Amino acid sequence: MKKQPYIVQLEKGKNYAWCKCSESLNQPFCDGSHTEIEAEQKREPVLFKAKQDVEVSLCGCKESESAPYCNGSHLDN
């Protein structure tokens, strides 16, 4: 798991799935790895649609209260 955020370019109107389980090999996006995790530990991805073409910071530490966006939670760890 990465502590710092992932800086990514989002495309207006495109759907995204932010990985919440930390297992994806395509971080910060979901690749379906959460389906291999035991049910009680499973963390479904956060689905969202970009409202505009924009560069954003997506959470890498998986602790952000503003998920999928970074809120600086990694600075507290």
Side-chain angles (χ1 to χ4, degrees), residues 26-38:
N26 189 34
Q27 292 292 332
F29 301 108
C30 176
D31 67 2
S33 294
H34 64 277
T35 60
E36 303 299 321
I37 297 172
E38 293 182 34

Side-chain angles (χ1 to χ4, degrees), residues 2-3 5 15 17-18 27 38 50 54 57 66 68 74 76:
K2 180 178 174 178
K3 281 196 139 264
N15 293 314
W18 172 77
Q27 292 292 332
E38 293 182 34
V54 64
S57 298
S66 303
H74 63 280
D76 296 333

Side-chain angles (χ1 to χ4, degrees), residues 6-48:
Y6 292 89
I7 309 303
V8 297
Q9 185 70 36
L10 301 180
E11 296 176 35
K12 180 179 179 178
K14 186 173 178 182
N15 293 314
Y16 294 91
W18 172 77
C19 173
K20 191 172 183 179
C21 75
S22 303
E23 298 298 320
S24 174
L25 297 178
N26 189 34
Q27 292 292 332
F29 301 108
C30 176
D31 67 2
S33 294
H34 64 277
T35 60
E36 303 299 321
I37 297 172
E38 293 182 34
E40 65 272 1
Q41 296 175 346
K42 191 179 287 189
R43 297 174 123 190
E44 298 292 326
V46 174
L47 306 176
F48 66 103

Side-chain angles (χ1 to χ4, degrees), residues 7 17-19 28 44 49 55-56 58-59 62 66-67 71 76:
I7 309 303
W18 172 77
C19 173
E44 298 292 326
K49 180 182 262 187
E55 185 176 87
V56 297
L58 296 183
C59 179
K62 312 302 181 189
S66 303
N71 72 350
D76 296 333

